[in-house]
Amino acid sequence: MNDAYKNSYPHMVECAAEAARVARGVTAERLSEPSHCTDWDVRALVNHWVLYTSHGLEHRALRKQLPEELTARDFTAEPGWAGAYAEQLDRAVAAWDDPAVWDGEVDLGTAKMPAADIASMIVKELALHGWDVAAATGQRFDVSDGAARFVLDVVDTHAELYRRYDGFADPVDVPDDAPAFERALAHSGRDPRRSTV
């Protein structure tokens, strides 16, 4: 069995389920409130999260580009968007439930990357932006220690790349013995002590 599938897919399943749970806790009133993501209110944050972690996740598995119609859509304007997000997450996760999908490369349009790297980076997006949404709406984003350590490893592997494109802020200081998910948040420039905006 493909090692990337075996080692990563369970974390994708877990983080997607937690993302769906957090999305259901976002009320309409919260969408216009600020988030701690630079220049994004909760609506913009949620739209980015939904686009890349559900539609993007499925399209990467299928080796397809995201159509412009999706990149321009305000998902939160649709009634029942959280339920639709959960259903799309299910389709996306199912598309990766094949060890062969984790082999080869994914064409991002501007570059190609190993499929396993793309998948791990989207799992990281599920968790970190899931925490962003949760923190902005008075919720928690909970993951197992195994998933937390996986996300931390992805953050540390790609941190400089993300900082080069302003995807991560400067790291936040936390104790070396802080829980793995707190360290993942901190290493990506998020303050894990900030539970609400």
Side-chain angles (χ1 to χ4, degrees):
M1 180 181 291
N2 184 302
D3 284 345
Y5 170 80
K6 180 175 65 178
N7 296 331
S8 305
Y9 186 70
H11 305 310
M12 179 185 289
V13 172
E14 177 184 346
C15 290
E18 182 67 354
R21 184 194 67 77
V22 167
R24 290 190 180 96
V26 178
T27 62
E29 297 76 25
R30 291 278 196 171
L31 291 171
S32 60
E33 294 181 0
S35 79
H36 57 269
C37 295
T38 306
D39 300 328
W40 283 357
D41 61 10
V42 172
R43 184 186 309 277
L45 170 61
V46 166
N47 277 321
H48 175 86
W49 187 45
V50 169
L51 175 65
Y52 289 104
T53 64
S54 63
H55 297 282
L57 184 62
E58 182 184 31
H59 278 71
R60 298 317 185 206
L62 300 175
R63 306 309 199 258
K64 294 181 178 179
Q65 299 295 318
L66 279 167
E68 187 175 336
E69 181 275 322
L70 283 177
T71 61
R73 183 185 298 179
D74 178 2
F75 298 99
T76 65
E78 300 167 11
W81 69 265
Y85 176 47
E87 291 173 4
Q88 180 58 39
L89 277 172
D90 286 345
R91 286 190 289 273
V93 170
W96 285 92
D97 191 12
D98 176 356
V101 174
W102 296 73
D103 291 330
E105 294 184 321
V106 173
D107 186 348
L108 301 175
T110 56
K112 293 182 179 180
M113 288 188 68
D117 287 354
I118 290 292
S120 69
M121 291 165 81
I122 297 177
V123 173
K124 180 267 304 168
E125 290 281 290
L126 277 164
L128 295 189
H129 281 319
W131 181 87
D132 292 332
V133 173
T137 57
Q139 302 183 73
R140 291 178 53 86
F141 192 94
D142 293 315
V143 291
S144 67
D145 188 58
R149 284 185 275 108
F150 177 83
V151 172
L152 174 61
D153 181 63
V154 176
V155 167
D156 287 344
T157 298
H158 299 288
E160 292 313 310
L161 174 67
Y162 277 95
R163 285 197 182 89
R164 193 178 314 153
Y165 296 100
D166 297 324
F168 285 173
D170 291 335
V172 174
D173 288 334
V174 292
D176 291 341
D177 61 353
F181 193 52
E182 289 188 12
R183 283 182 283 143
L185 293 167
H187 295 184
S188 72
R190 293 162 168 85
D191 187 344
R193 295 161 296 193
R194 186 174 192 167
S195 58
T196 58
V197 174

